[in-house]
Amino acid sequence: MKILSWNCRGLSNPRAIPNLRQLAQKHHPDVFFLSETLAKKQKLESVRVSLKFDSCLSIDVVGRSGGLAVLWKDSVNCSIVNFSRNFVNLVIQDNDKEEWRLTCYYGYLERHRRREAWDMLREVRDMSTTPWCVIGDFNDLLSHQDKVGIHPHPNWLCAGFREAVSDCNLLDIPMEGHPFTWIKSRGTPHVIEERLDRVLVTQEWMEFFPAAKLNNLLASHSDHSPILLQCEPPQLNRHKSYSFRFENAWLKDDEIQEIVSKGWNAEEEMHVTQRLNNCASEYLGGTR
């Protein structure tokens, strides 16, 4: 099962729908969570049809901020439990596992409401005792390592969020790829990057999906990156032909130089085509 989450920063941007369609076609998520849609239900219904999802729950924008939507395929056995302007609770029933809970979450943007957000997370925790997964834009940082740039994040905000996560017995799934999901002042000396989007899970959920992977997809028109949670490793079709293509996003991968060097210099006498194939194998066959 694959779950894609993205703070899309509004669907009125001309690039929004094409970007959504590209993400859906490339990654084939079973569940697609959108926050800050800045849109009404009628708009989300047309988005659902365009992306070829079977069902959609949308929470209308109020004023000039907010708006949530969860889209899912019929192949996913899920049901909506409850929702608010900041979260949607679903119960997922896997064929070979017990049911578990998925919370699509959007934290308060305003700093003066952060304590309210932490208490809300605790309240959502108490709604069920089933294995739990929370995905979305938390608008919070767990540590100073979650940020680069000017203006260090206040200690009390990191400490408060960590305490709430600890109280909920949640674990942070490490993210592969670029470590930050939000950027401000791109291309200037005052650039700031933060990891606002993440996945938090209980130990019981991790026991269901011990090989779960979280990837930063990078490409977007928004100042947030989409993130993709793969609950289980993808099943590779070894009989399917594959054409390797370089992705610009890989340039932000900290390990790309080592991967290319290892693949390119695997043997002294090799044709350039074989060297490229080795690089592709190193990238796709390593931690990816």
Side-chain angles (χ1 to χ4, degrees):
M1 180 175 179
K2 293 191 285 188
I3 305 163
L4 203 156
S5 172
W6 187 25
N7 180 332
C8 61
R9 295 303 301 270
L11 297 176
S12 60
N13 187 306
R15 296 170 58 194
I17 305 303
N19 280 342
L20 285 173
R21 191 179 298 113
Q22 182 180 26
L23 286 169
Q25 291 174 348
K26 182 175 182 179
H27 299 285
H28 306 287
D30 302 288
V31 177
F32 203 153
F33 171 50
L34 298 171
S35 57
E36 283 201 52
T37 62
L38 307 181
K40 298 289 186 178
K41 291 182 180 179
Q42 295 86 341
K43 176 68 173 180
L44 268 302
E45 178 60 19
S46 66
V47 170
R48 179 194 69 78
V49 173
S50 176
L51 301 186
K52 299 181 180 180
F53 280 82
D54 300 301
S55 302
C56 174
L57 171 73
S58 60
I59 294 120
D60 281 354
V61 62
V62 177
R64 296 185 177 181
S65 64
L68 307 179
V70 181
L71 304 89
W72 66 94
K73 302 286 183 65
D74 280 347
S75 57
V76 180
N77 187 359
C78 75
S79 56
I80 303 294
V81 177
N82 57 5
F83 55 87
S84 73
R85 288 191 61 195
N86 293 87
F87 67 83
V88 177
N89 263 327
L90 305 94
V91 169
I92 310 291
Q93 180 64 63
D94 279 331
N95 293 331
D96 58 343
K97 299 179 177 67
E98 299 177 9
E99 68 179 25
W100 54 276
R101 180 168 52 136
L102 172 65
T103 299
C104 299
Y105 185 90
Y106 176 65
Y108 291 112
L109 178 63
E110 304 87 353
R111 282 191 175 180
H112 69 273
R113 302 191 72 183
R114 296 297 170 82
R115 289 189 172 88
E116 188 178 344
W118 304 332
D119 289 339
M120 178 176 63
L121 191 62
R122 295 182 178 101
E123 290 172 5
V124 176
R125 169 203 60 189
D126 295 337
M127 293 176 181
S128 175
T129 58
T130 57
W132 187 27
C133 171
V134 192
I135 187 170
D137 173 12
F138 288 80
N139 277 314
D140 253 319
L141 307 182
L142 283 172
S143 70
H144 293 288
Q145 284 67 47
D146 285 342
K147 176 176 182 175
V148 292
I150 59 175
H151 308 310
H153 201 65
N155 289 327
W156 71 271
L157 286 175
C158 291
F161 186 37
R162 281 199 306 269
E163 183 178 1
V165 170
S166 176
D167 289 346
C168 294
N169 297 314
L170 291 168
L171 308 171
D172 183 42
I173 293 187
M175 187 166 60
E176 300 185 11
H178 192 60
F180 307 106
T181 65
W182 176 81
I183 188 168
K184 180 180 180 181
S185 303
R186 188 196 308 266
T188 75
H190 307 291
V191 63
I192 298 173
E193 291 189 87
E194 297 179 344
R195 185 186 174 190
L196 300 180
D197 308 82
R198 63 181 68 242
V199 175
L200 301 173
V201 300
T202 58
Q203 181 62 42
E204 293 79 9
W205 190 93
M206 280 301 304
E207 291 171 3
F208 275 1
F209 305 105
K213 292 175 59 176
L214 179 64
N215 291 94
N216 186 345
L217 302 184
L218 287 175
S220 77
H221 68 272
S222 168
D223 53 4
H224 283 259
S225 299
I227 58 174
L228 178 68
L229 174 65
Q230 299 182 76
C231 297
E232 296 177 299
Q235 298 296 318
L236 297 179
N237 185 350
R238 299 185 182 278
H239 301 289
K240 183 178 180 181
S241 62
Y242 172 74
S243 177
F244 174 71
R245 295 182 180 179
F246 183 80
E247 301 281 353
N248 287 332
W250 295 346
L251 293 173
K252 291 190 176 183
D253 192 319
D254 294 337
E255 301 175 1
I256 192 65
Q257 185 173 351
E258 179 183 349
I259 290 169
V260 171
S261 178
K262 185 176 180 181
W264 191 267
N265 300 311
E267 299 178 26
E268 290 186 4
E269 296 183 4
M270 284 191 300
H271 189 272
V272 65
T273 303
Q274 183 57 46
R275 293 183 188 274
L276 289 173
N277 288 338
N278 284 355
C279 291
S281 298
E282 284 293 331
Y283 190 89
L284 298 172
T287 58
R288 304 304 179 274

